[in-house]
Amino acid sequence: MAYYKDLREYIQALEDDGQLVRVKRRINKDTELMPLVRLQYRGLPEEQRRAFIFENLVDVKGREYHTPVAVSVLAGSGKIYSIGMMCEPEEIAEKLAQAALHTYEPKLVESAPVQEEVHMGDTLMEHGCLEEFPIPISTPGYDPSPAITAPFWVTKDPDSGIRNMATYRALIKSPTRTGLDFSRPTRGIAIHWNKCREKDIPLPAAIVIGGPPSIGYVSVSDYPIDTDELTVAGGIAGEPLEVVRCKTIDLEVPAHAEVVIEGEVNTHELEPEGAFGESIGIMSLAQPRPYFTVKAITHRRNPIWL
């Protein structure tokens, strides 16, 4: 088969291979979801670990959600990672290296599944904006709020116009506001943020949720600053990825993502961000960081939250 077009095709491939657990009973996304998934990393050998999709979710207030949440689907184990890369586990490193050498420029399309529903302007809050989605609390009892832990941030260098895609957690601060935890000044988004600060303008940014797994793999990898990660994602897929223009900002995003959150990063103010329970088992401290304000949300009908 051709490479996965979207998250849904990939999840089906995981299920067909016995690597996915569907949880249909009611789960509290604020107190139960992440601890349930993390149990497998405390006691199971790697070959027994699975990806999860939760289909019946509530929060601590009793609110019901109709959006499934997928967890550990990109690299929950070496086997899962290899299914996402469409290669054998021992071939992953070489395929990633070859993808960086043989890239494909994205293909711009006029319409896209990720824009089947659009909330902006007067309709931005009609479904609660960020509260529309069952974003889990990662470390119940310690994290101050839910956090977007697999956000693929897209920004653009204001001078060269080169795109950057990278993953930085985003704590939810309000229905229209998140934190943005980047710290290293050599990161693409940090460079873009500093350039916009010097120009006295906000940094346009988009948070991409879901899409073909290649997006996730390049988003967490370090490439030279003049590399457009979406071209490397095309290298993994062996074909150009389709992208579509955002509705409110000058950026292009993957057309087959599940959700895109458009907005701007303030370049003149910082706010406390954190604390947060890290994957290595410690709590990071609260630090002054920029914040992101939502201008629009577009998503597929019946999206999956990654």
Side-chain angles (χ1 to χ4, degrees), residues 19-241:
Q19 301 299 315
L20 180 78
V21 176
R22 287 188 181 270
V23 181
K24 297 182 180 293
R25 77 170 180 86
R26 179 167 293 191
I27 295 294
N28 190 313
K29 63 109 177 158
D30 293 327
T31 61
E32 296 178 304
L33 190 153
M34 286 299 191
L36 280 171
V37 173
R38 284 181 173 174
L39 279 174
Q40 68 177 343
Y41 299 102
R42 296 295 182 107
L44 290 181
E46 182 175 332
E47 61 270 17
Q48 294 183 25
R49 297 171 188 164
R50 296 293 181 264
F52 286 79
I53 187 162
F54 296 88
E55 299 181 338
N56 184 3
L57 295 165
V58 296
D59 64 13
V60 291
K61 298 178 181 178
R63 177 178 175 178
E64 297 181 349
Y65 295 86
H66 302 291
T67 299
V69 171
V71 186
S72 293
V73 300
L74 292 180
S77 69
K79 176 66 173 177
I80 290 170
Y81 197 169
S82 69
I83 294 173
M85 290 289 292
M86 297 187 76
C87 66
E88 295 301 318
E90 61 272 16
E91 297 171 342
I92 291 173
E94 178 61 22
K95 187 167 183 180
L96 284 171
Q98 290 300 317
L101 296 173
H102 305 285
T103 60
Y104 288 84
E105 287 294 326
K107 176 184 176 183
L108 184 65
V109 296
E110 292 300 317
S111 60
V114 75
Q115 293 180 346
E116 288 174 339
E117 292 194 23
V118 178
H119 308 293
M120 54 186 282
D122 293 340
T123 67
L124 179 61
M125 294 297 299
E126 64 180 344
H127 291 160
C129 201
L130 293 174
E131 290 184 345
E132 177 179 357
F133 307 105
I135 304 171
I137 291 180
S138 188
T139 314
Y142 294 89
D143 294 349
S145 71
I148 306 174
T149 54
F152 310 141
W153 288 88
V154 178
T155 57
K156 190 178 289 186
D157 188 299
D159 295 328
S160 68
I162 296 175
R163 279 185 301 254
N164 178 261
M165 174 176 275
T167 296
Y168 311 95
R169 73 159 185 266
L171 283 173
I172 305 301
K173 296 191 169 192
S174 84
T176 59
R177 193 169 178 143
T178 81
L180 169 54
D181 183 49
F182 68 80
S183 54
R184 285 169 52 185
T186 55
R187 299 283 190 180
I189 196 170
I191 293 172
H192 299 174
W193 184 82
N194 276 301
K195 286 186 175 183
C196 286
R197 181 171 60 85
E198 292 171 358
K199 296 176 184 292
D200 197 27
I201 58 174
L203 171 65
I207 299 173
V208 176
I209 303 295
S214 58
I215 296 172
Y217 299 140
V218 300
S219 187
V220 297
S221 301
D222 276 333
Y223 295 102
I225 194 60
D226 58 351
T227 300
D228 179 349
E229 282 79 6
L230 289 177
T231 68
V232 184
I236 295 174
E239 61 185 35
L241 295 185

Side-chain angles (χ1 to χ4, degrees), residues 286-305:
Q287 299 285 342
R289 294 286 185 263
Y291 61 85
F292 170 79
T293 302
V294 180
K295 297 182 67 175
I297 291 180
T298 72
H299 60 81
R300 301 181 68 153
R301 296 187 185 94
N302 305 312
I304 299 169
W305 188 267

